[in-house]
Amino acid sequence: MEERRLYGDAGLIEQKLANMQLMETAAGGYAAVYKDPATGAFWLKYYATAAREGGGYLTLLRLPAPTTEEVVQLAIGSPFVDEAVAAVLRLLDEEAIEKKDFRLQLVEKLGQQQPDSREQRQRLLQIIKLAGLDDPTNRREVLHKSNAQIEQDAVYFKAVAAKANVLLEKLQH
């Protein structure tokens, strides 16, 4: 069985960290790197800023950080609900902080899914809502951009939202 890449459950994170060695802290203690002596793997404990209310969502991420494509796969396919939620929040953080785009890739992957149970449909619905894929609001910076660039960004978010809304309609029936 492949080891998890993300943890989003505070209790599981504390259990996992109990067996690890603290290597360094940053951001006033809001981020820390740990080493798992059993595997040699490094882990980053941080607070996802996408869930700002209450100080963020405690997350544990195995380093090196997964690619956007890998995080999309975790959001959709992880058997662990906390890992799926942490993956969506990771995508939102990468979008906000690192300006990485994930929306079209995620909505297209969601559209390729063939959910055969109520639970699987529910997971896909939750991903769409948590990621805000159905919201056509432009989330990209507008300063120092031409009107044409801003309009191009707006068209992109509207197109993703339209695809997400078609998916929502299919999943709710």
Side-chain angles (χ1 to χ4, degrees):
M1 181 176 121
E2 190 172 314
E3 189 176 6
R4 289 174 59 160
R5 298 293 303 266
L6 285 161
Y7 287 84
D9 178 296
L12 291 175
I13 291 170
E14 292 310 314
Q15 285 178 10
K16 189 126 178 94
L17 291 178
N19 300 316
M20 292 190 197
Q21 177 184 3
L22 176 63
M23 301 304 287
E24 71 178 273
T25 61
Y30 285 99
V33 175
Y34 290 82
K35 183 176 182 181
D36 184 339
T39 65
F42 288 91
W43 292 81
L44 174 66
K45 179 183 104 172
Y46 70 98
Y47 290 88
T49 58
R52 290 185 221 327
E53 294 157 35
Y57 184 81
L58 183 62
T59 305
L60 187 63
L61 168 78
R62 185 164 43 99
L63 298 173
T67 65
T68 300
E69 186 173 326
E70 290 169 331
V71 179
V72 164
Q73 275 308 119
L74 289 173
I76 296 170
S78 174
F80 308 103
V81 173
D82 70 290
E83 184 173 41
V85 170
V88 172
L89 294 177
R90 176 83 186 166
L91 291 169
L92 291 169
D93 274 357
E94 288 181 351
E95 177 184 59
I97 298 165
E98 301 173 34
K99 310 300 181 220
K100 287 185 180 179
D101 184 43
F102 72 91
R103 291 176 181 279
L104 186 59
Q105 183 179 359
L106 180 57
V107 80
E108 287 178 348
K109 288 274 190 206
L110 290 169
Q112 295 168 3
Q113 302 305 302
Q114 301 294 325
D116 57 6
S117 71
R118 192 171 98 64
E119 291 77 22
Q120 289 174 333
R121 281 193 305 280
Q122 215 35 52
R123 164 77 69 92
L124 301 182
L125 286 166
Q126 288 171 335
I127 292 168
I128 292 168
K129 290 299 186 180
L130 183 59
L133 295 177
D134 59 331
D135 181 353
T137 305
N138 178 5
R139 289 172 179 75
R140 293 186 181 150
E141 185 65 50
V142 295
L143 290 176
H144 310 295
K145 284 189 172 181
S146 68
N147 285 340
Q149 290 170 314
I150 294 169
E151 182 59 31
Q152 185 178 7
D153 288 345
V155 166
Y156 170 80
F157 281 92
K158 287 177 186 170
V160 169
K163 287 182 180 217
N165 282 309
V166 167
L167 276 173
L168 283 172
E169 189 66 33
K170 284 178 18 184
L171 291 168
Q172 291 171 338
H173 290 95

